[in-house]
Amino acid sequence: MKAATGAQMRQIEELANQHGYRYEDMMERAGRTAANWIREECLPGLAASRITIVCGKGNNGGDGYVIARHLAASASVTLIRAQGPAATAIGSLNERMLPAAVNVLDYQEEPYLCSAAIGDAALLVDCVYGVGFHGPFSAEIAPLIQRMNKATGYKVAVDMPSGVPADGSAAEPDAFLPDVTLTFTAVKVGLDAGVAGAIRVLDIGIASDIVEQVLGERSITPELVRSCLTPRLADSHKGTYGRLLTVCGSYGMAGAALLCARGALRSGVGLLTAAVPHSLYPIMAPVLPEAVFAPLPETEEGTFAADAEEAILNRAATADAVVLGCGIGTHEQTQSLVRSLRHRLCCPLILDADGINAVSAHTLLEETASSPLILTPHPGEMARLLEISVTQVQQNRAQIARRFADEFHAVLVLKGHRTLVAAPGRPLLVNETGNPGMATGGSGDVLAGIIGSLVAQGMDPYYAAVCGVYLHGAAGDRAAERLSQHSMLPSDIIEELGGLFLNFEK
């Protein structure tokens, strides 16, 4: 079953609302379905039928009000308002619909009565935060959750245990620990047995195609790629097809800059400027006559120096896209340069390889950049970026890709077998082209150049990434058919791009 973040659940509910599912009806179905599950699965096994439901002020609390209403005829129900009255319109509606049989307590005004109700409950239901929790607990709520954890009754969390973020980030140390979590429509990324107990996904009637539209992994098809590629105009000129700036290479890594530039040129960009450390210029100029070169200041190790920044910005001022990172190395000055350029560039930025290694999730959030961002990490780079293990990345590729794209407002190309492309509000797409022969140093540099070329030509960054990974993989498949997976090289991928584009032009 595909997992969802809190943001994706909001997208699902918004789409459902647009298709005629009213928000109040969704809350009613969620609460009624949870109440029915509790009545059928829990109440028969309890020695007493005393239920305490702890409700927050948001819509998770609204679910709790519905649950209380539907269980009032089957059990003795006490409802605790943890944060005062409901603060949402549909939550308030259901609060007003509570029957007189439900004993309502306010935690802020009656903490001792609330503590007693929690301790006496045969069944304790957590409806404080749901998927909306972002932490940390407030000073008022933390003792309440601690008291709930000490209770001896059977514990049920609704949608998410309080203190556990739906997006999979770290749970609060004192998060609610239920025996079972009743979640709606789809399992949440943050749920696992260690924090949620047994997990039950309840259907509340949202059509599966709506859920699939948000969570579904769709394959990139040739038809989709063809629809994104536009014919060349008869009266066009080199300026019609964009200006790309590549900031790549270092002493000993001229090949990375060369492969990126050649991949971009073979993908149709009109004008390419290759910014390189000064010592690389005489190496690259004879083998890349189609490019304009910008030899720039370098460190003693042959990487971009910090004082190359203004020259790069001047070149970028007339560019339609920038590729930054292929083979630039990890010198301190160069990494500092990357971090500064990330926030000063005004055109779309494709960040690859050492460019990704120069930043972290923290530095990406330090300042909001106005220009679109595409990142193209392999699993190791993704692990370093998020400070997790490669195993964690590989076991949760889809969830991590979606969550990263949403949080950082970026297009993410998570490379590897079945490369994923994620972007905020867009379908998660999986690439089926490519083969193990492409697992060779330099292949990723070619991909960065292809994507940068398509962005510079005016393609939407998301679709440039989608088309880029498909074309890169398909060219790799053609190279493998001609040369074998063992013998093919990244430069062979570039040479196959021409025949591939020819097929799409027919």
Side-chain angles (χ1 to χ4, degrees):
M1 179 178 292
K2 298 182 178 71
T5 64
Q8 289 170 328
M9 284 309 304
R10 286 188 288 275
Q11 291 179 36
I12 289 170
E13 290 169 358
E14 288 171 5
L15 280 173
N17 183 250
Q18 293 169 16
H19 284 76
Y21 296 75
R22 299 188 308 162
Y23 286 111
E24 51 265 45
D25 292 337
M26 285 187 268
M27 181 176 286
E28 176 65 26
R29 290 171 183 169
R32 184 178 66 239
T33 304
N36 289 341
W37 191 94
I38 290 170
R39 184 185 298 109
E40 295 169 6
E41 301 294 332
C42 296
L43 291 187
L46 297 178
S49 56
R50 294 188 303 274
I51 299 174
T52 296
I53 304 172
V54 186
C55 294
K57 62 182 179 181
N59 283 337
N60 190 236
D63 294 337
Y65 290 123
V66 179
I67 293 170
R69 169 160 43 90
H70 283 282
L71 289 178
S74 305
S76 172
V77 178
T78 295
L79 186 143
I80 297 174
R81 298 190 304 194
Q83 301 165 306
T88 67
I90 52 177
S92 295
L93 172 65
N94 283 291
E95 185 177 14
R96 293 192 299 270
M97 294 172 63
L98 284 173
V102 175
N103 178 34
V104 179
L105 299 174
D106 193 294
Y107 176 66
Q108 307 301 323
E109 299 176 359
E110 305 163 297
Y112 296 109
L113 289 176
C114 292
S115 181
I118 291 169
D120 290 341
L123 178 71
L124 181 62
V125 182
D126 167 29
C127 295
V128 180
Y129 287 109
V131 297
F133 178 78
H134 298 293
F137 285 137
S138 67
E140 295 78 17
I141 293 299
L144 174 62
I145 303 299
Q146 291 170 4
R147 179 67 186 93
M148 292 166 64
N149 276 332
K150 292 177 182 177
T152 58
Y154 191 80
K155 299 179 181 70
V156 176
V158 174
D159 219 5
M160 291 291 298
S162 290
V164 179
D167 65 2
S169 52
E172 286 291 289
D174 294 326
F176 183 66
L177 297 174
D179 296 294
V180 64
T181 296
L182 306 180
T183 197
F184 305 117
T185 305
V187 70
K188 309 306 183 292
V189 171
L191 288 178
D192 63 57
V195 297
I199 300 168
R200 300 291 182 266
V201 180
L202 305 183
D203 181 8
I204 63 170
I206 296 177
S208 60
D209 60 337
I210 293 175
V211 178
E212 187 69 17
Q213 186 172 339
V214 177
L215 300 185
E217 294 179 17
R218 305 181 194 172
S219 295
I220 302 171
T221 63
E223 292 74 23
L224 173 58
V225 175
R226 188 183 300 276
S227 71
C228 295
L229 299 174
T230 56
R232 297 226 157 184
L233 303 173
D235 60 348
S236 59
H237 53 84
K238 60 188 178 183
T240 306
Y241 301 109
R243 300 170 182 265
L244 178 66
L245 174 64
T246 61
V247 184
C248 300
S250 59
Y251 188 78
M253 294 293 288
L258 182 61
L259 288 167
C260 177
R262 291 186 61 217
L265 289 165
R266 278 292 185 198
S267 300
V269 70
L271 291 162
L272 183 134
T273 298
V276 296
H278 196 278
S279 60
L280 264 62
Y281 173 60
I283 300 171
M284 293 183 59
V287 294
L288 195 67
E290 300 89 351
V292 174
F293 284 92
L296 297 180
E298 60 187 26
T299 65
E300 292 182 358
E301 287 78 7
T303 68
F304 287 101
D307 56 3
E309 182 170 354
E310 295 306 319
I312 292 172
L313 289 170
N314 288 336
R315 294 282 184 167
T318 57
D320 297 297
V322 175
V323 177
L324 172 60
C326 304
I328 61 173
T330 57
H331 190 283
E332 183 180 349
Q333 282 195 44
T334 310
Q335 291 190 320
S336 177
L337 173 67
V338 171
R339 291 190 288 270
S340 181
L341 289 173
R342 157 73 184 111
H343 298 296
R344 296 188 67 189
L345 289 170
C346 296
C347 60
L349 171 63
I350 296 87
L351 200 60
D352 183 56
D354 288 330
I356 297 172
N357 292 330
V359 300
S360 66
H362 174 71
T363 57
L364 284 176
L365 286 176
E366 281 181 343
E367 181 182 346
T368 301
S370 58
S371 58
L373 176 64
I374 302 175
L375 291 97
T376 59
H378 59 56
E381 290 160 350
M382 194 74 210
R384 287 191 289 274
L385 184 63
L386 296 178
E387 298 182 339
I388 59 177
S389 69
V390 174
T391 299
Q392 288 174 294
V393 172
Q394 293 296 73
Q395 289 178 344
N396 302 279
R397 285 173 61 84
Q399 296 93 326
I400 285 174
R402 287 194 188 98
R403 186 167 71 242
F404 184 94
D406 287 341
E407 184 173 356
F408 295 96
H409 306 287
V411 177
L412 181 73
V413 176
L414 183 52
K415 295 186 291 194
H417 176 57
R418 291 169 55 87
T419 291
L420 297 173
V421 180
R426 305 288 187 92
L428 180 70
L429 294 182
V430 58
N431 185 45
E432 306 284 356
T433 63
N435 63 82
M438 301 173 70
T440 306
S443 181
D445 303 320
V446 176
L447 174 61
I450 296 171
I451 295 173
S453 178
L454 296 176
V455 174
Q457 292 174 66
M459 194 177 292
D460 174 87
Y462 169 69
Y463 287 111
V466 168
C467 293
V469 299
Y470 180 91
L471 293 166
H472 180 250
D477 289 339
R478 292 167 66 101
E481 289 176 5
R482 182 168 60 89
L483 299 167
S484 82
Q485 292 183 9
H486 282 82
S487 295
M488 63 177 288
L489 298 173
S491 54
D492 298 317
I493 299 173
I494 296 171
E495 296 309 313
E496 293 294 341
L497 285 170
L500 195 59
F501 276 105
L502 181 61
N503 286 343
F504 278 109
E505 288 179 3
K506 290 179 180 177

